[in-house]
Amino acid sequence: MNQRIHAVRGMRDLFAADVAQLAHIEAIFREVLISYSYVEIRTPIVERERLFNRGLGSTSDAVSKEMYTFPDRGDEILALRPEGTASVVRAVIDQDLCYNDKPRLWYSGPMFRHERPQAGRYRQFHQIGAEALGYTDAVIDVELISIMTEIFDRLAISSSVQLLMNNIGTPESRTEFKRVLLDALQPVSHLLDDDSRNRLQSNPLRILDSKVPATQDILKEAPKLKDSLSDSSKRRFDEVLQLLDRANISYTIDDRLVRGFDYYTDTVFEWVTEAVGAQDALCAGGRYDELTELLGGRPTPAIGFAAGTDRIALIRQHLTEFEHRSVDLYVVPLSENAQEYSHEVAKHVRGSSNIKVREHIGQDRLKTKMKWADRSGAIWAVIVGDNEVANRSVTLKWLRTERTQVTIPLAKLTQTLTNSGER
Ligand code: AMP
């Protein structure tokens, strides 16, 4: 036998109930985003590497350590996208979508990062995100947060998620803060964990979200990001928080919340959960007022979020009942003569309801056919033989309860199934 070929590490095959769960989550995102008038955008999975180098910052983990890059047939280096915002902004600039408009967009698709795989962390994972470009008003920050709040509500997990809020200021105030932070941490660098010590030069802000207790202790004494904020950043933060209060959205201020990408300015936010292990971040976002200009477009203030649907699926598996059935009704033709009529029955039910109908295929004995019907998970089977063909009727059998079978006219079948309340 030839050797089997397995999936690439960190990239999963998803089946049946997992796919149904993700599809359900995606459908809710789509419904809520569309109800807020956000417009879907689909960008390529492959981009030029330099889009991410420039957009996300070459010192971010996603770019410096985790990006899947490869040379094109020519000499250009391409990358599998590690996130969605840089692509959306590139497309907005390419298509000049901000000319005369302030687009509010959403996207959904796979992202790729060469991280160490574990539960809730994959090398191919799925994000759904929203981006609003051209808005400075704090009201848009709260609109995006309201959208996600509504989505968590509709997914029945809002009591298990917590919204963290922070303001990380402008690139100028951050440069100043990085200097002050470095001055404070360098003398005690031998006490920091290895990752944080490496970040001293490359990305000192990320030290703030270190989870290592010894580093956290040192940070208690270190200068605070909030003390470096300009008056206008402070005002903006207050305004956003007041609007959240007015919208009855609860949050926790976390002055150590920073983001992995360089492009964020002022408002940043994140939803976390304690319901699933170490990978606790479900959705992250913030303002990126300077990214459009950085990528060669007109200066355009903007804000967005990205949610990880794989992790949302994990927490829903822990917390909510989710029943998935791919077959509701299994149609069994008794003989070859009844085959044609069996197609007609299946087509009739599909055309008059959203009942999921599977037809038996193959010349098996009745016992075998009924075994397949049972194994399909269907609620009902419909059996059609010569009598049913002659009378345009069906024999309806309940597969999960003791009810006795009935023979009814085909015209009554859909109504009988939908009225039974069994789906
Ligand atoms: P980020 O783009 O890093 O801000 O991440 C936004 C969200 O995407 C996170 O809150 C996670 O829910 C999800 N996410 C990020 N990286 C991964 C990964 N490797 N596997 C699964 N989900 C991820």
Side-chain angles (χ1 to χ4, degrees), residues 3 18 277 293 354:
Q3 215 178 7
D18 287 340
E293 208 177 348
N354 58 2

Side-chain angles (χ1 to χ4, degrees), residues 387-402:
N387 283 342
E388 284 81 2
V389 174
N391 301 329
R392 297 194 57 73
S393 63
V394 294
T395 295
L396 174 62
K397 234 177 132 58
W398 277 261
L399 297 174
R400 313 285 151 207
T401 58
E402 296 299 317

Side-chain angles (χ1 to χ4, degrees), residues 8 15 24 28 49 64 71 148 152 264 328 346 390:
V8 174
F15 303 99
H24 174 74
I28 288 188
E49 181 196 29
S64 64
M148 236 1 259
F152 283 131
Y264 285 106
D328 299 318

Side-chain angles (χ1 to χ4, degrees), residues 150-385:
E150 193 170 325
I151 290 170
F152 283 131
D153 252 358
R154 300 249 327 248
L155 289 168
I157 54 174
S158 46
S159 57
S160 308
V161 304
Q162 190 191 3
L163 169 62
L164 307 177
M165 295 294 306
N166 197 16
N167 185 304
I168 56 168
T170 58
E172 297 77 49
S173 66
R174 276 210 301 277
T175 307
E176 175 56 17
F177 175 67
K178 281 181 200 166
R179 200 184 51 74
V180 180
L181 186 66
L182 266 181
D183 284 351
L185 293 183
Q186 235 142 12
V188 289
S189 65
H190 58 286
L191 301 173
L192 295 173
D193 61 279
D194 289 348
D195 258 354
S196 296
R197 198 171 321 109
N198 291 335
R199 285 187 165 136
L200 271 176
Q201 295 312 324
S202 62
N203 200 352
L205 266 192
R206 286 299 305 279
I207 298 175
L208 296 188
D209 65 4
S210 165
K211 304 238 165 23
V212 178
T215 302
Q216 287 185 346
D217 280 346
I218 294 171
L219 288 171
K220 278 186 199 138
E221 309 299 319
K224 299 281 178 281
L225 182 62
K226 63 172 187 262
D227 298 328
S228 72
L229 296 183
S230 67
D231 287 343
S232 94
S233 290
K234 282 183 192 154
R235 258 199 317 276
R236 195 166 206 302
F237 195 34
D238 285 344
E239 210 182 325
V240 170
L241 299 182
Q242 274 171 23
L243 289 171
L244 286 175
D245 290 337
R246 248 183 269 160
N248 268 328
I249 295 176
S250 47
Y251 56 85
T252 306
I253 296 174
D254 177 356
D255 64 6
R256 289 177 41 198
L257 178 68
V258 289
R259 309 288 324 129
F261 302 134
D262 285 357
Y263 59 60
Y264 285 106
T265 44
D266 279 333
T267 310
V268 293
F269 51 92
E270 181 161 289
W271 280 267
V272 292
T273 180
E274 288 177 354
V276 283
Q279 300 308 311
D280 62 353
L282 299 178
C283 177
R287 294 200 69 84
Y288 50 91
D289 291 341
E290 314 212 345
L291 181 60
T292 318
E293 208 177 348
L294 193 67
L295 294 178
R298 271 187 286 272
T300 309
I303 179 165
F305 67 68
T309 53
D310 304 277
R311 282 187 201 169
I312 293 176
L314 265 185
I315 130 162
R316 271 179 51 89
Q317 269 160 26
H318 275 63
L319 298 176
T320 61
E321 292 273 319
F322 182 73
E323 208 189 307
H324 167 68
R325 196 175 41 241
S326 40
V327 185
D328 299 318
L329 174 67
Y330 199 94
V331 182
V332 178
L334 279 183
S335 64
E336 237 170 298
N337 286 344
Q339 194 78 61
E340 197 86 345
Y341 183 60
S342 155
H343 297 331
E344 191 185 332
V345 170
K347 201 167 164 190
H348 173 82
V349 177
R350 289 186 195 118
S352 55
S353 70
N354 58 2
I355 290 170
K356 291 169 268 185
V357 185
R358 176 173 293 179
E359 275 189 87
H360 184 83
I361 296 175
Q363 309 302 322
D364 303 297
R365 290 179 312 145
L366 178 61
K367 204 168 160 208
T368 312
K369 289 175 180 166
M370 294 313 292
K371 214 183 260 172
W372 278 100
D374 183 52
R375 209 187 288 166
S376 75
I379 313 167
W380 314 281
V382 142
I383 300 166
V384 292

